[in-house]
Amino acid sequence: MKAAPEAQKRLLDLAELDSTADRLAHRRRTLPELAEIAEQSKQYAKLATEAIEAETEAGDLAREQTKAEGDVDTVRTRADRDQKRLDSGAVTSPKDLASLQSEITSLHRRQGDLEEIVLEIMERKEAADAKVTDLTAKRDEIAAVRAVSEERRDAALTEIDKDSAEVVEKRVQIAGDIPADLLALYDKLRDQYGVGAAMLRGGRCQGCKVALSIAEMNSIKAAPHDEVVRCEECRRILVRTAESGL
Ligand SMILES: [Zn+2]
């Protein structure tokens, strides 16, 4: 392939720009904020699940408490009713009186037991409510921390986008100075090796850093200036400049 030496030299500008594009792409993929946000999201999800579990537990206990309080009321109502019957004097048979008195005593004992249960449920519910408050606060705290990380990530991405747009614009300009067939070869090599062209500097390929043999140097020296030469080692386009050592 043949191309004017000036067009070949433009490949070095293109290669530099493409390596800037690669650096920007790498930076975009490896922003520390991305790992931070992933970790914060994991923590958030864990706390959110635990908060829901605690809320469910508190809700269950609230229903349990209502039911237990209802049980206390039922027993109390029965005891009150029996007490009224006793106080009314309507029951006169000693046997019936003894039986009524015994039932009242038993109902009072039962009421005491049920009130113990209510207290125990209330204590458990208080603990569950405290857990809800604690987990919700921790969850919201992580959400706020994550929002800050997201802001930092977005600011970094905006900067990378701006730099990338500049690279794209410059690349169009530089590509305009390079013949289509040479550009196509460069792009193909870039796809294959990451870098499509390298300078020959001081007898060394700057792509693979390998020093050329005397025979290779002689062959390049003998090649016409518009001949597109390739590195034998890495196959990249080797661009000759005043620094090539030829
Ligand atoms: Zn090379």
Side-chain angles (χ1 to χ4, degrees):
M1 186 181 291
K2 293 202 177 278
E6 284 317 308
Q8 292 190 40
K9 284 189 186 110
R10 281 302 256 168
L11 287 179
L12 295 177
D13 298 330
L14 202 60
E16 198 188 323
L17 205 59
D18 283 342
S19 90
T20 302
D22 289 345
R23 271 201 306 280
L24 288 170
H26 180 259
R27 194 171 159 231
R28 181 192 294 277
R29 281 194 306 273
T30 57
L31 279 179
E33 285 82 3
L34 296 179
E36 272 174 35
I37 291 165
E39 178 56 31
Q40 288 152 356
S41 293
K42 224 167 83 185
Q43 286 179 35
Y44 178 89
K46 185 171 173 282
L47 288 166
T49 304
E50 286 172 2
I52 289 170
E53 281 166 4
E55 275 166 14
T56 306
E57 197 195 343
D60 289 348
L61 286 167
R63 274 189 296 281
E64 228 180 283
Q65 186 184 336
T66 306
K67 189 186 165 294
E69 282 167 350
D71 292 345
V72 170
D73 283 345
T74 305
V75 172
R76 187 192 294 121
T77 307
R78 265 181 71 185
D80 286 353
R81 191 195 59 201
D82 286 355
Q83 188 65 49
K84 266 182 200 138
R85 268 186 76 201
L86 190 70
D87 295 346
S88 72
V91 180
T92 48
S93 140
K95 193 176 157 242
D96 288 349
L97 278 174
S99 154
L100 197 57
Q101 191 65 63
S102 152
E103 190 181 304
I104 290 169
T105 307
S106 146
L107 284 169
H108 279 155
R109 197 184 309 121
R110 176 92 184 115
Q111 186 183 335
D113 291 347
L114 288 170
E115 278 167 353
E116 278 293 315
I117 292 174
V118 169
L119 281 177
E120 187 237 335
I121 294 170
M122 280 170 75
E123 272 171 25
R124 280 165 60 205
K125 186 173 178 299
E126 255 172 50
D129 285 342
K131 216 165 135 190
V132 170
T133 306
D134 178 52
L135 289 167
T136 307
K138 279 181 180 155
R139 180 200 64 193
D140 293 349
E141 201 179 305
I142 275 289
V145 170
R146 183 175 60 180
V148 172
S149 298
E150 283 170 344
E151 262 176 43
R152 282 209 318 273
R153 174 202 61 194
D154 292 345
L157 285 178
T158 302
E159 196 188 307
I160 292 170
D161 284 344
K162 188 173 145 277
D163 292 349
S164 298
E166 276 171 26
V167 164
V168 168
E169 199 181 316
K170 275 187 201 156
R171 199 182 197 279
V172 169
Q173 281 174 17
I174 295 172
D177 295 340
I178 301 167
D181 56 350
L182 182 61
L183 187 62
L185 174 64
Y186 168 89
D187 283 336
K188 192 179 127 220
L189 294 170
R190 173 164 157 73
D191 282 347
Q192 276 177 305
Y193 306 116
V195 181
M199 191 198 289
L200 174 62
R201 178 187 276 152
R204 202 177 278 274
C205 166
Q206 293 302 298
C208 62
K209 309 289 178 192
V210 166
L212 275 64
S213 69
I214 292 168
E216 281 164 348
M217 286 298 275
N218 284 337
S219 139
I220 290 172
K221 224 180 277 186
H225 286 301
D226 60 352
E227 184 69 38
V228 175
V229 297
R230 307 270 293 275
C231 172
E232 295 287 336
E233 198 64 37
C234 69
R235 302 307 299 151
R236 294 184 177 105
I237 298 166
L238 214 40
V239 178
R240 286 166 282 177
T241 73
E243 298 167 62
S244 290
L246 290 164

